[in-house]
Amino acid sequence: MLRDEFEAVGDRDPEDLLAAYEAVLTDVIEARGVETVAAETEIDEATLSALVAGDSPDVTLEEAAAILATDPDRPDSDFLVADARDILLMGMSSAVLDVEAIQSGIDGKLEAKEIQQKVEGRYPMTIAEYALLHGYIESKK
């Protein structure tokens, strides 16, 4: 999700990668406070509290970026979302993967059309889906 923040992405399973993403989000929420992050992002406190508690609520890429953007040392959420999608697209290009190859490689957990729409930002993507795609794409580079 963040450039250069996670080591050996292609060697990690999606659940491990998701846990790493959630740990970064939790660090930001704990540093800024649940109420502050909720007010700045319009994400409900229950979702933020669930992240901090170690649960794994459905969080979209846009919501994750909004959480990260509350950290004054990070770029704004629009940049973070664009960068995350760029990581996927550049990875697909480097690994010479199309959406059909990815669908096959992730055992059909997402359909090719769905992958295309999510990567392009035409349909919401959860960070769990991002972890699935990111890890697979990086493993093929």
Side-chain angles (χ1 to χ4, degrees):
M1 181 168 57
L2 300 171
R3 199 170 301 278
D4 302 323
E5 195 152 339
F6 304 99
E7 293 182 25
V9 171
D11 296 333
R12 299 169 90 163
D13 63 41
E15 294 78 20
D16 181 49
L17 200 50
L18 175 60
Y21 296 159
E22 289 174 340
V24 171
L25 295 174
T26 297
D27 288 346
V28 172
I29 295 166
E30 288 177 338
R32 303 282 296 148
V34 170
E35 291 177 0
T36 300
V37 174
E40 291 181 18
T41 63
E42 298 181 11
I43 298 170
D44 65 85
E45 289 186 26
T47 299
L48 298 171
S49 295
L51 275 168
V52 172
D55 296 333
S56 196
D58 281 339
V59 175
T60 66
L61 183 60
E62 289 78 11
E63 289 171 331
I67 292 167
L68 295 173
T70 64
D71 179 345
D73 295 329
R74 293 186 187 270
D76 68 31
S77 62
D78 290 337
F79 175 86
L80 292 169
V81 169
D83 191 49
R85 287 197 181 108
D86 187 50
I87 289 168
L88 297 180
L89 290 168
M90 294 302 291
M92 289 172 67
S93 178
S94 296
V96 192
L97 292 170
D98 61 14
V99 292
E100 287 83 12
I102 295 171
Q103 176 187 342
S104 176
I106 61 171
D107 299 324
K109 292 177 183 164
L110 295 170
E111 297 294 321
K113 183 177 179 180
E114 191 178 12
I115 294 166
Q116 183 81 33
Q117 291 172 336
K118 288 175 182 279
V119 170
E120 291 176 348
R122 292 185 287 135
Y123 197 77
M125 178 180 350
T126 66
I127 59 172
E129 292 167 332
Y130 186 86
L132 176 67
L133 297 175
H134 190 198
Y136 178 74
I137 291 167
E138 290 298 314
S139 75
K140 298 301 175 188
K141 284 171 66 177

